[in-house]
Amino acid sequence: MIELINGDCWVELPKIYSRYQDRNIILVSDPPFNIGYHYNLYQDNMNDFEYYSYMGKIFRQHPSVIIHYPENMYKLADAMGSFPLKIITWVYNSNTAKQHRDIAFFKIKPDMNKVKQPYKNLNDKRIIKRIEEGKTGAKLYDWWEVNQVKNVSKDKTTHPCQMPLEVMARIIGILPQNALIIDPFMGSGTTGVACKELQRDFIGIDIDEKYVDISVERLKNHSISIAN
Ligand SMILES: C[S@@+](CC[C@H](N)C(=O)[O-])C[C@H]1O[C@@H](n2cnc3c(N)ncnc32)[C@H](O)[C@@H]1O
Protein backbone atom coordinates (compact mmCIF):
# COMPACT_ATOMS: atom_id res chain seq x y z
CA MET A 1 0.00 0.00 0.00
CA ILE A 2 1.39 3.39 -1.02
CA GLU A 3 -0.53 6.58 -0.38
CA LEU A 4 0.62 10.12 -1.19
CA ILE A 5 -1.13 13.12 0.33
CA ASN A 6 -0.90 16.79 -0.57
CA GLY A 7 -1.55 18.57 2.70
CA ASP A 8 -0.23 19.88 5.99
CA CYS A 9 1.06 16.96 8.06
CA TRP A 10 -0.22 18.63 11.22
CA VAL A 11 -3.76 18.26 9.82
CA GLU A 12 -3.29 14.95 7.99
CA LEU A 13 -1.50 12.84 10.64
CA PRO A 14 -4.41 12.64 13.13
CA LYS A 15 -6.71 11.43 10.32
CA ILE A 16 -4.17 8.74 9.35
CA TYR A 17 -3.72 7.65 13.00
CA SER A 18 -7.44 7.19 13.45
CA ARG A 19 -7.69 5.20 10.18
CA TYR A 20 -4.77 2.89 11.03
CA GLN A 21 -5.15 2.35 14.78
CA ASP A 22 -4.27 -1.33 14.44
CA ARG A 23 -0.95 -0.72 12.63
CA ASN A 24 2.62 -0.54 13.89
CA ILE A 25 3.31 3.04 12.73
CA ILE A 26 6.85 4.40 12.33
CA LEU A 27 7.55 7.96 11.16
CA VAL A 28 10.67 8.21 8.99
CA SER A 29 11.66 11.66 7.80
CA ASP A 30 14.21 14.20 6.72
CA PRO A 31 12.22 17.22 7.90
CA PRO A 32 12.88 20.88 7.05
CA PHE A 33 15.90 22.00 9.12
CA ASN A 34 14.67 25.56 9.85
CA ILE A 35 17.67 27.11 8.12
CA GLY A 36 15.83 29.39 5.69
CA TYR A 37 16.09 26.86 2.87
CA HIS A 38 14.44 27.87 -0.41
CA TYR A 39 11.55 25.50 -0.98
CA ASN A 40 8.94 26.19 -3.62
CA LEU A 41 6.18 27.01 -1.09
CA TYR A 42 7.23 26.28 2.47
CA GLN A 43 8.95 29.09 4.40
CA ASP A 44 11.74 27.41 6.38
CA ASN A 45 12.09 30.09 9.04
CA MET A 46 10.21 29.60 12.31
CA ASN A 47 11.77 30.85 15.49
CA ASP A 48 13.77 28.15 17.25
CA PHE A 49 11.30 27.59 20.07
CA GLU A 50 8.35 27.28 17.69
CA TYR A 51 10.29 24.91 15.39
CA TYR A 52 11.40 22.45 18.06
CA SER A 53 8.08 22.34 19.85
CA TYR A 54 6.36 21.75 16.47
CA MET A 55 8.77 18.94 15.55
CA GLY A 56 8.40 17.43 19.03
CA LYS A 57 4.62 17.34 18.67
CA ILE A 58 4.76 15.81 15.18
CA PHE A 59 7.24 13.05 16.01
CA ARG A 60 6.76 12.06 19.62
CA GLN A 61 3.47 10.18 19.26
CA HIS A 62 5.02 7.19 17.48
CA PRO A 63 8.43 5.58 17.05
CA SER A 64 10.32 7.92 14.74
CA VAL A 65 13.48 7.99 12.68
CA ILE A 66 14.65 11.56 12.11
CA ILE A 67 17.52 12.79 9.95
CA HIS A 68 19.07 16.06 11.13
CA TYR A 69 22.28 17.95 11.81
CA PRO A 70 24.02 16.25 14.75
CA GLU A 71 24.06 19.31 17.01
CA ASN A 72 20.29 19.71 16.60
CA MET A 73 19.50 16.18 17.79
CA TYR A 74 19.91 17.31 21.41
CA LYS A 75 17.28 19.99 20.95
CA LEU A 76 15.00 17.52 19.18
CA ALA A 77 15.44 14.95 21.94
CA ASP A 78 14.53 17.63 24.46
CA ALA A 79 11.42 18.55 22.45
CA MET A 80 10.43 14.89 22.06
CA GLY A 81 10.91 14.09 25.74
CA SER A 82 13.03 11.01 24.94
CA PHE A 83 16.57 10.15 23.89
CA PRO A 84 17.37 8.23 20.70
CA LEU A 85 17.90 4.48 21.22
CA LYS A 86 20.36 4.45 18.31
CA ILE A 87 22.18 7.04 16.21
CA ILE A 88 23.73 6.30 12.84
CA THR A 89 25.95 8.91 11.19
CA TRP A 90 25.61 9.54 7.47
CA VAL A 91 28.87 10.90 6.08
CA TYR A 92 29.22 12.52 2.66
CA ASN A 93 31.75 14.43 0.63
CA SER A 94 30.88 18.07 0.24
CA ASN A 95 32.57 21.41 -0.28
CA THR A 96 30.54 22.95 2.55
CA ALA A 97 31.36 22.90 6.28
CA LYS A 98 28.65 20.27 6.93
CA GLN A 99 29.76 16.77 5.92
CA HIS A 100 27.63 14.54 8.08
CA ARG A 101 24.13 14.19 9.43
CA ASP A 102 22.73 11.97 12.12
CA ILE A 103 19.91 9.49 11.76
CA ALA A 104 18.29 9.13 15.18
CA PHE A 105 15.96 6.28 16.13
CA PHE A 106 13.47 7.38 18.79
CA LYS A 107 11.47 4.68 20.62
CA ILE A 108 12.71 2.01 18.20
CA LYS A 109 15.94 0.05 17.82
CA PRO A 110 16.88 -0.92 14.27
CA ASP A 111 18.09 -4.43 13.46
CA MET A 112 21.51 -3.76 11.92
CA ASN A 113 21.75 -7.38 10.72
CA LYS A 114 18.88 -7.00 8.28
CA VAL A 115 20.84 -5.08 5.63
CA LYS A 116 24.32 -6.16 4.56
CA GLN A 117 27.19 -4.08 3.21
CA PRO A 118 29.89 -5.49 0.93
CA TYR A 119 32.86 -7.07 2.73
CA LYS A 120 35.83 -4.70 2.75
CA ASN A 121 38.94 -6.89 2.85
CA LEU A 122 38.38 -9.70 0.37
CA ASN A 123 41.85 -11.14 1.06
CA ASP A 124 41.17 -11.68 4.77
CA LYS A 125 40.96 -15.44 5.49
CA ARG A 126 37.89 -15.00 7.71
CA ILE A 127 36.09 -13.10 4.94
CA ILE A 128 37.04 -15.72 2.34
CA LYS A 129 35.57 -18.38 4.65
CA ARG A 130 32.34 -16.41 5.14
CA ILE A 131 31.92 -15.96 1.38
CA GLU A 132 32.50 -19.72 0.91
CA GLU A 133 29.75 -20.32 3.49
CA GLY A 134 27.39 -18.31 1.27
CA LYS A 135 27.29 -15.10 3.34
CA THR A 136 26.62 -12.04 1.17
CA GLY A 137 28.10 -9.21 3.20
CA ALA A 138 28.90 -7.70 6.59
CA LYS A 139 26.54 -6.32 9.21
CA LEU A 140 26.00 -2.57 8.68
CA TYR A 141 28.31 -0.20 10.55
CA ASP A 142 26.77 2.70 12.44
CA TRP A 143 28.32 5.20 10.01
CA TRP A 144 27.38 5.21 6.36
CA GLU A 145 29.41 6.86 3.64
CA VAL A 146 27.00 7.68 0.83
CA ASN A 147 27.27 10.57 -1.65
CA GLN A 148 24.62 13.26 -1.63
CA VAL A 149 22.35 13.46 -4.67
CA LYS A 150 24.23 15.65 -7.16
CA ASN A 151 22.76 17.78 -9.94
CA VAL A 152 24.22 15.28 -12.41
CA SER A 153 22.82 12.21 -10.58
CA LYS A 154 20.55 10.26 -12.90
CA ASP A 155 17.59 10.24 -10.52
CA LYS A 156 17.90 13.93 -9.46
CA THR A 157 14.56 15.73 -9.38
CA THR A 158 13.92 19.46 -9.07
CA HIS A 159 13.38 19.11 -5.31
CA PRO A 160 16.19 21.15 -3.67
CA CYS A 161 17.16 18.65 -0.97
CA GLN A 162 16.50 15.16 -2.25
CA MET A 163 17.88 12.37 -0.03
CA PRO A 164 20.00 9.61 -1.55
CA LEU A 165 17.89 6.52 -2.09
CA GLU A 166 20.64 4.32 -0.65
CA VAL A 167 20.38 6.04 2.75
CA MET A 168 16.59 5.77 2.87
CA ALA A 169 16.66 2.14 1.68
CA ARG A 170 19.11 1.21 4.43
CA ILE A 171 16.92 2.89 7.05
CA ILE A 172 13.77 1.16 5.83
CA GLY A 173 15.63 -2.15 5.51
CA ILE A 174 16.60 -2.22 9.20
CA LEU A 175 13.06 -1.44 10.45
CA PRO A 176 10.38 -4.10 11.06
CA GLN A 177 8.84 -5.48 7.87
CA ASN A 178 5.26 -5.13 9.12
CA ALA A 179 5.48 -1.41 9.96
CA LEU A 180 3.39 1.26 8.27
CA ILE A 181 6.00 3.87 7.36
CA ILE A 182 4.85 7.49 7.28
CA ASP A 183 6.97 10.38 6.00
CA PRO A 184 5.19 13.58 7.07
CA PHE A 185 7.68 15.78 5.14
CA MET A 186 8.00 13.62 2.04
CA GLY A 187 9.53 16.10 -0.44
CA SER A 188 10.37 14.24 -3.65
CA GLY A 189 9.25 10.91 -2.15
CA THR A 190 12.59 9.16 -1.57
CA THR A 191 11.28 7.38 1.55
CA GLY A 192 8.35 6.14 -0.54
CA VAL A 193 10.61 4.83 -3.30
CA ALA A 194 12.62 2.89 -0.68
CA CYS A 195 9.38 1.49 0.79
CA LYS A 196 8.09 0.46 -2.60
CA GLU A 197 11.29 -1.38 -3.43
CA LEU A 198 11.37 -3.10 -0.04
CA GLN A 199 7.63 -3.84 -0.06
CA ARG A 200 6.71 -1.78 2.96
CA ASP A 201 3.41 0.07 3.36
CA PHE A 202 3.96 3.80 3.02
CA ILE A 203 2.07 7.06 3.46
CA GLY A 204 3.79 10.29 2.42
CA ILE A 205 2.63 13.85 3.01
CA ASP A 206 3.88 17.12 1.54
CA ILE A 207 2.38 20.54 1.79
CA ASP A 208 3.49 21.41 -1.74
CA GLU A 209 1.55 19.99 -4.67
CA LYS A 210 4.58 20.36 -6.95
CA TYR A 211 6.60 17.99 -4.74
CA VAL A 212 3.73 15.51 -4.44
CA ASP A 213 3.61 15.41 -8.27
CA ILE A 214 7.34 14.62 -8.33
CA SER A 215 6.78 11.78 -5.83
CA VAL A 216 3.91 10.37 -7.89
CA GLU A 217 6.13 10.33 -10.97
CA ARG A 218 9.07 8.71 -9.14
CA LEU A 219 6.92 6.04 -7.58
CA LYS A 220 5.67 5.05 -11.01
CA ASN A 221 9.11 4.30 -12.42
CA HIS A 222 11.77 3.46 -9.92
CA SER A 223 13.84 0.34 -9.50
CA ILE A 224 16.79 -0.28 -7.15
CA SER A 225 18.40 -3.25 -5.52
CA ILE A 226 20.07 -3.46 -2.12
CA ALA A 227 21.85 -6.35 -0.48
CA ASN A 228 19.61 -8.14 2.02
C1 LIG B 1 13.84 18.37 3.62
S1 LIG B 1 12.46 18.29 2.55
C2 LIG B 1 12.25 16.53 2.36
C3 LIG B 1 13.11 16.00 1.26
C4 LIG B 1 12.93 14.51 1.05
N1 LIG B 1 13.57 13.75 2.08
C5 LIG B 1 13.43 14.06 -0.31
O1 LIG B 1 14.19 13.09 -0.42
O2 LIG B 1 13.06 14.72 -1.30
C6 LIG B 1 11.12 18.77 3.58
C7 LIG B 1 9.76 18.88 2.92
O3 LIG B 1 8.79 19.19 3.93
C8 LIG B 1 7.70 19.86 3.29
N2 LIG B 1 6.87 20.47 4.36
C9 LIG B 1 7.18 21.54 5.14
N3 LIG B 1 6.20 21.76 6.05
C10 LIG B 1 5.26 20.80 5.84
C11 LIG B 1 4.04 20.47 6.50
N4 LIG B 1 3.57 21.19 7.53
N5 LIG B 1 3.36 19.38 6.07
C12 LIG B 1 3.82 18.63 5.04
N6 LIG B 1 4.97 18.92 4.37
C13 LIG B 1 5.69 19.97 4.78
C14 LIG B 1 8.39 20.81 2.33
O4 LIG B 1 7.54 21.20 1.28
C15 LIG B 1 9.60 19.96 1.85
O5 LIG B 1 9.34 19.35 0.62
Side-chain angles (χ1 to χ4, degrees):
M1 178 264 270
I2 300 232
E3 200 178 317
L4 307 180
I5 300 172
N6 177 209
D8 183 337
C9 63
W10 182 246
V11 176
E12 300 301 328
L13 284 171
K15 295 191 227 164
I16 297 170
Y17 296 157
S18 73
R19 244 188 304 143
Y20 293 102
Q21 286 174 27
D22 55 332
R23 292 296 306 263
N24 171 19
I25 288 175
I26 305 177
L27 270 57
V28 176
S29 199
D30 156 45
F33 283 6
N34 208 35
I35 50 176
Y37 213 90
H38 293 290
Y39 294 103
N40 181 48
L41 202 70
Y42 174 69
Q43 304 289 313
D44 189 32
N45 57 0
M46 297 183 195
N47 72 48
D48 240 35
F49 177 77
E50 190 188 4
Y51 173 76
Y52 284 102
S53 52
Y54 173 66
M55 287 297 157
K57 282 182 200 141
I58 293 285
F59 286 107
R60 75 173 150 227
Q61 294 183 50
H62 288 280
S64 293
V65 184
I66 309 176
I67 302 167
H68 222 295
Y69 290 143
E71 55 270 33
N72 297 354
M73 280 305 173
Y74 299 99
K75 297 184 196 167
L76 267 176
D78 189 34
M80 309 243 316
S82 68
F83 291 105
L85 300 180
K86 174 91 183 165
I87 293 186
I88 293 169
T89 300
W90 165 38
V91 187
Y92 47 86
N93 240 325
S94 152
N95 54 9
T96 65
K98 297 270 182 202
Q99 307 210 354
H100 59 116
R101 290 187 206 168
D102 276 350
I103 302 166
F105 294 73
F106 290 93
K107 297 192 196 151
I108 184 151
K109 263 193 172 171
D111 180 350
M112 303 295 275
N113 276 306
K114 283 177 72 186
V115 173
K116 305 291 183 208
Q117 60 180 347
Y119 288 121
K120 288 218 184 306
N121 186 354
L122 296 177
N123 297 320
D124 183 316
K125 281 189 193 142
R126 287 162 302 177
I127 303 298
I128 294 170
K129 186 159 176 278
R130 279 179 210 153
I131 294 171
E132 281 167 1
E133 287 165 357
K135 303 215 166 91
T136 52
K139 175 178 164 172
L140 276 184
Y141 299 151
D142 59 3
W143 62 273
W144 300 345
E145 191 169 2
V146 178
N147 280 337
Q148 287 179 300
V149 178
K150 304 262 164 41
N151 283 335
V152 292
S153 304
K154 76 173 178 347
D155 61 348
K156 174 81 179 88
T157 70
T158 55
H159 193 284
C161 41
Q162 185 179 330
M163 279 296 291
L165 183 52
E166 191 177 343
V167 171
M168 298 318 298
R170 284 182 176 194
I171 295 172
I172 300 302
I174 57 179
L175 293 175
Q177 177 86 37
N178 69 354
L180 167 58
I181 305 290
I182 301 177
D183 187 343
F185 302 98
M186 156 178 77
S188 66
T190 317
T191 314
V193 177
C195 286
K196 183 174 176 189
E197 293 300 325
L198 296 171
Q199 291 161 11
R200 301 316 206 261
D201 289 340
F202 173 75
I203 301 180
I205 310 167
D206 204 286
I207 204 159
D208 192 328
E209 191 179 4
K210 180 176 162 190
Y211 298 152
V212 177
D213 287 347
I214 293 173
S215 300
V216 169
E217 199 48 41
R218 283 183 88 197
L219 279 155
K220 268 197 231 154
N221 305 321
H222 215 95
S223 161
I224 58 155
S225 62
I226 66 160
N228 226 334

